[in-house]
Amino acid sequence: MKFSQYFLPTLKEVPSDAVIPSHILMVRAGMIRQLTAGVYSYLPLGLRVFKKIEKIVREEMDAIGGSEFYLPALSPNELWAETGRLEDYGDDIFRIKNRELVLAPTHEEVFTSIAKPNLISYKNLPQIWYQIQTKFRNEPRPRGGVLRGRQFTMKDAYSFDATWEGLDESYNKNAQAYRNIFTRCGLKFFTVTAFSGAMGGSESEEFMVEAEAGEDTVVISSDNKYSSNLEVAVSFSENIGRKNSGLEIEEFHTPNIKSIEELAGFLKITDKSRLAKSRLFVIPAKSEGKKDEYLLALVCGDDEFSETKLAKIFAGIRPGHPEELFDIAGAEAGSIGPVNLKNKTVKIIADLKLKDADELISGACKNDYHIKNIDLKRDVVGIEYFDIRTVKDGEETVDRSSKLRMTKAIEVGHIFKLGTRYAEALGAKYLDVNGKDNVIIMGSYGIGIERIAAAYIEQNHDKDGIIWSGEISPFDIHLISVNKKSDNIKAEAEKIYNELITAGYEVLFDDRDDISPGVKFKDADLIGVPVQVVVSDKNMKNGEIEIKERRTGDRYRIQISDFNQKIKEIIGNINKN
Ligand code: ATP
Ligand code: MG
């Protein structure tokens, strides 16, 4: 590709709306341009990278026996209403106002609607279906360029199985394909077990790339054997134990003391573990005629609640509103506790660290009062214990073999065991060997194409620009001719360009006439092709060509006669790493 003919608008300045490195560099390197919030045009260089990622994805999906589809983005409202997701998605789904249509944010419904009349016998199963297609999501906070767009490309795959063992097998195949894909894309990744939330699935895993720009907080052990989303992470946590002094509970006045910090200051103590933090939750009634239930949860004063862990134990749980607090506990948020609750039906639970603990201090369920010497064993009948705390940076793994580190990560892929949720809602059934009707068991597997590119750049850049390597690099070689209009250097460079192309390399040839060498070098570093080849008058005089490795900055002067061999070696080495 000749630079002079290619549309490759590089920028010196940092775009004003870009904050994270990948966004800044994708715009500066001429890969993308924003059209409107969260909506991007892919310029030729960007498209080249995305297509390479798609190629890898396609090859790995085909390798596990996936069949490629291409389904429409427009789909009828009724289909989404049938699974209840028109409502679930709310404002996050794009709806076409003058037609009863939505722009699909994902394709479980549409794929299942194809499965229903076609996968009717056990003989038709299992199947893995996939597509690489544009998705539309009205993300409330599009950010980071293509990292979180409102229009983006996803590879979404769906498995259809007759049995749960079959689902396990399909899921494992997809997981392996994902590992292959991310490895080939040059990402350093890890997986975390995810809470499947609104998708309504059971087991699910997210593929994560560590990056400061990431929106997910994750925990990784220093030996890399354990990784988890922060909300569900577990650590070694010691029970705070009993003091067994047998002291009776005692109410005391704590005017205007609302937080644990204020309480610790008031009592002049630094160890906050026995200042039990109490929070009231509501578990909505599961069926009509049933009543909402109330839950008071306790953690140590120096811990935080994990609402995700709570939601895993008590489905649908939500924090109590201020009015509810007064009605149920008899006090405001800063003054509630497990003793003297106004409503006696409140279920009380505590974190495992508090198991059977005594000499606790908590709210008195009376504004501006606290109670001390609470003994959970003695004073709180029917209390149950669960792991409901959020782990902290630096804690040990459960088996105490390694330390946990908290960091930020980007989710690049997500695999779910959906089970029968969609097939059930849409009535997708198959006949088993005995001629009996059964609901098809499904999995769904998604990868963000542009997000892979963004995540790669987050992990592979320096102050000068992007550092590509391996299969997703837009080109193998960036050939620069340092020529003046008058000399024959450009003709020499063009000869090398043609030879490299004949040898099978993808070459970006900076043949521009009116551009200074300095600008060409800066552009080359910004665009980040792994190998730069410089043809200049100075070197040519000695019969030499210069090669620079983008990542290391290493430069080599090569005799023209050795060039073909050397370039092969260098590219081979880069792709090995
Ligand atoms: P997130 O938690 O980041 O919103 P998600 O859980 O909504 O992601 P899925 O519905 O599982 O994502 O989609 C599968 C993959 O599609 C994600 O792993 C991610 O790589 C990509 N993806 C999701 N939303 C976006 C988006 N708004 N822009 C770009 N890629 C996206
Ligand atoms: Mg999302």
Side-chain angles (χ1 to χ4, degrees):
M1 190 57 66
K2 290 185 177 170
F3 207 131
S4 62
Q5 296 164 0
Y6 201 43
F7 183 68
L8 187 34
T10 56
L11 298 176
K12 264 205 233 109
E13 292 78 30
V14 173
S16 60
D17 61 330
V19 190
I20 64 167
S22 59
H23 184 191
I24 293 170
L25 290 172
M26 277 181 157
V27 175
R28 285 193 54 216
M31 292 175 68
I32 56 167
R33 286 293 183 269
Q34 189 188 62
L35 181 61
T36 184
V39 182
Y40 286 83
S41 302
Y42 304 155
L43 308 191
L45 189 77
L47 186 64
R48 236 183 131 83
V49 172
F50 302 148
K51 291 268 176 219
K52 296 206 164 187
I53 298 171
E54 289 182 11
K55 178 172 177 281
I56 295 172
V57 169
R58 189 169 278 120
E59 285 171 5
E60 295 298 335
M61 290 309 295
D62 289 347
I64 58 164
S67 309
E68 186 171 359
F69 285 63
Y70 191 83
L71 303 190
L74 284 174
S75 58
N77 281 358
E78 308 94 76
L79 192 55
W80 294 82
E82 260 185 88
T83 59
R85 285 216 290 184
L86 202 54
E87 207 174 288
D88 288 356
Y89 265 104
D91 200 35
D92 291 357
I93 198 166
F94 281 108
R95 302 181 64 161
I96 312 283
K97 264 197 184 155
N98 60 348
R99 297 278 183 272
E100 292 294 298
L101 295 168
V102 303
L103 282 171
T106 174
H107 276 79
E108 279 81 3
E109 279 81 354
V110 185
F111 266 106
T112 310
S113 78
I114 297 177
K116 183 177 171 177
N118 292 293
L119 304 180
I120 50 174
S121 154
Y122 71 96
K123 290 179 192 154
N124 305 129
L125 300 170
Q127 289 282 299
I128 295 174
W129 292 356
Y130 79 96
Q131 64 172 343
I132 299 173
Q133 190 260 7
T134 308
K135 296 283 182 274
F136 298 87
R137 291 183 181 183
N138 190 21
E139 296 281 356
R141 278 176 302 278
R143 66 177 283 280
V146 295
L147 202 56
R148 181 174 296 287
R150 295 199 295 166
Q151 168 173 344
F152 61 98
T153 319
M154 197 200 288
K155 184 290 297 174
D156 47 326
Y158 306 85
S159 61
F160 303 88
D161 277 279
T163 62
W164 292 95
E165 296 74 45
L167 171 62
D168 290 345
E169 216 169 288
S170 297
Y171 181 91
N172 292 339
K173 275 188 190 170
N174 278 278
Q176 186 54 49
Y178 275 40
R179 283 192 283 274
N180 297 349
I181 289 166
F182 297 127
T183 304
R184 285 179 65 185
C185 288
L187 294 177
K188 291 184 213 72
F189 66 95
F190 57 91
T191 62
V192 299
T193 310
F195 181 56
S196 13
M199 294 291 271
S202 45
E203 199 177 332
S204 107
E205 256 166 298
E206 291 173 339
F207 288 76
M208 294 290 195
V209 166
E210 187 175 358
E212 228 170 276
E215 286 177 270
D216 293 296
T217 307
V218 294
V219 167
I220 311 177
S221 66
S222 51
D223 61 5
N224 289 325
K225 283 191 188 144
Y226 176 77
S227 49
S228 168
N229 266 317
L230 174 64
E231 310 104 69
V232 292
V234 289
S235 64
F236 172 77
S237 58
E238 209 157 4
N239 188 298
I240 64 165
R242 292 182 64 83
K243 296 198 167 180
N244 286 322
S245 44
L247 295 167
E248 286 304 312
I249 53 170
E250 187 184 327
E251 194 176 273
F252 61 106
H253 194 204
T254 47
N256 291 322
I257 303 294
K258 300 274 177 246
S259 67
I260 296 287
E261 301 305 318
E262 288 164 351
L263 184 61
F266 179 81
L267 298 170
K268 300 195 173 54
I269 55 172
T270 49
D271 176 7
K272 299 186 207 102
S273 59
R274 278 175 199 272
L275 307 181
K277 203 179 269 181
S278 300
R279 183 118 37 103
L280 187 81
F281 294 90
V282 178
I283 310 168
K286 288 193 186 58
S287 54
E288 253 176 70
K290 288 247 165 76
K291 279 197 190 145
D292 289 353
E293 285 178 59
Y294 304 109
L295 182 88
L296 186 93
L298 301 168
V299 291
C300 290
D302 47 5
D303 279 336
E304 297 298 332
F305 289 95
S306 161
E307 291 196 17
T308 311
K309 286 184 184 175
L310 278 163
K312 280 183 115 173
I313 310 166
F314 305 99
I317 194 169
R318 65 162 174 84
H321 304 312
E323 346 50 274
E324 288 169 323
L325 281 182
F326 217 86
D327 271 2
I328 297 152
E332 285 165 12
S335 305
I336 64 171
V339 177
N340 292 345
L341 282 155
K342 196 165 143 194
N343 180 324
K344 301 296 174 205
T345 69
V346 177
K347 182 178 176 60
I348 300 173
I349 66 163
D351 184 67
L352 290 170
K353 264 174 81 175
L354 286 168
K355 179 104 208 284
D356 295 337
D358 61 0
E359 287 197 34
L360 302 181
I361 301 178
S362 196
C365 293
K366 179 166 143 193
N367 278 355
D368 291 337
Y369 283 87
H370 279 78
I371 294 180
K372 61 181 169 188
N373 304 329
I374 300 171
D375 181 342
L376 294 181
K377 218 170 156 181
R378 177 191 67 191
D379 305 323
V380 186
V381 183
I383 188 167
E384 284 187 70
Y385 299 93
F386 300 94
D387 171 21
I388 53 169
R389 68 187 280 274
T390 308
V391 309
K392 288 188 249 179
D393 199 30
E395 286 181 349
E396 290 176 308
T397 50
V398 175
D399 64 5
R400 306 196 72 173
S401 65
S402 186
K403 275 233 162 97
L404 298 175
R405 176 169 67 85
M406 212 180 280
T407 183
K408 289 282 179 189
I410 298 168
E411 176 203 313
V412 285
H414 203 167
I415 57 176
F416 285 100
K417 288 185 184 171
L418 290 176
T420 54
R421 159 119 166 63
Y422 296 93
E424 182 95 59
L426 297 172
K429 293 183 182 143
Y430 71 95
L431 287 177
D432 66 18
V433 206
N434 305 315
K436 210 177 126 259
D437 252 354
N438 279 296
V439 180
I440 298 177
I441 301 167
M442 291 173 57
S444 93
Y445 317 91
I447 282 186
I449 300 295
E450 300 90 344
R451 201 183 272 190
I452 288 183
Y456 177 89
I457 296 171
E458 289 298 326
Q459 287 192 327
N460 297 276
H461 69 270
D462 62 14
K463 62 177 191 353
D464 298 319
I466 305 171
I467 304 171
W468 295 110
S469 60
E471 287 191 62
I472 69 169
S473 174
F475 294 94
D476 302 316
I477 298 170
H478 190 138
L479 175 66
I480 298 164
S481 100
V482 179
N483 61 286
K484 298 193 189 72
K485 255 205 171 106
S486 51
D487 60 28
N488 65 349
I489 289 298
K490 192 164 152 185
E492 295 278 356
E494 180 131 9
K495 217 175 105 204
I496 293 169
Y497 173 61
N498 288 324
E499 280 169 15
L500 288 171
I501 287 184
T502 311
Y505 295 111
E506 294 182 21
V507 187
L508 175 62
F509 175 25
D510 195 345
D511 61 335
R512 293 174 295 174
D513 282 332
D514 42 357
I515 303 291
S516 75
V519 170
K520 287 187 175 181
F521 295 147
K522 276 213 151 52
D523 273 350
D525 281 351
L526 174 62
I527 294 165
V529 174
V531 177
Q532 299 169 13
V533 172
V534 184
V535 182
S536 68
D537 193 29
K538 202 173 89 198
N539 290 334
M540 273 297 178
K541 272 187 194 138
N542 307 322
E544 287 173 344
I545 297 174
E546 189 174 290
I547 300 178
K548 177 182 150 184
E549 273 185 46
R550 172 65 181 89
R551 191 180 295 274
T552 57
D554 292 348
R555 289 165 191 276
Y556 314 88
R557 283 226 183 83
I558 313 291
Q559 284 295 314
I560 295 181
S561 54
D562 297 337
F563 177 70
N564 289 344
Q565 184 52 36
K566 189 71 190 168
I567 198 97
K568 200 168 152 188
E569 249 173 63
I570 292 175
I571 290 181
N573 277 337
I574 287 174
N575 289 343
K576 239 187 273 151
N577 297 331

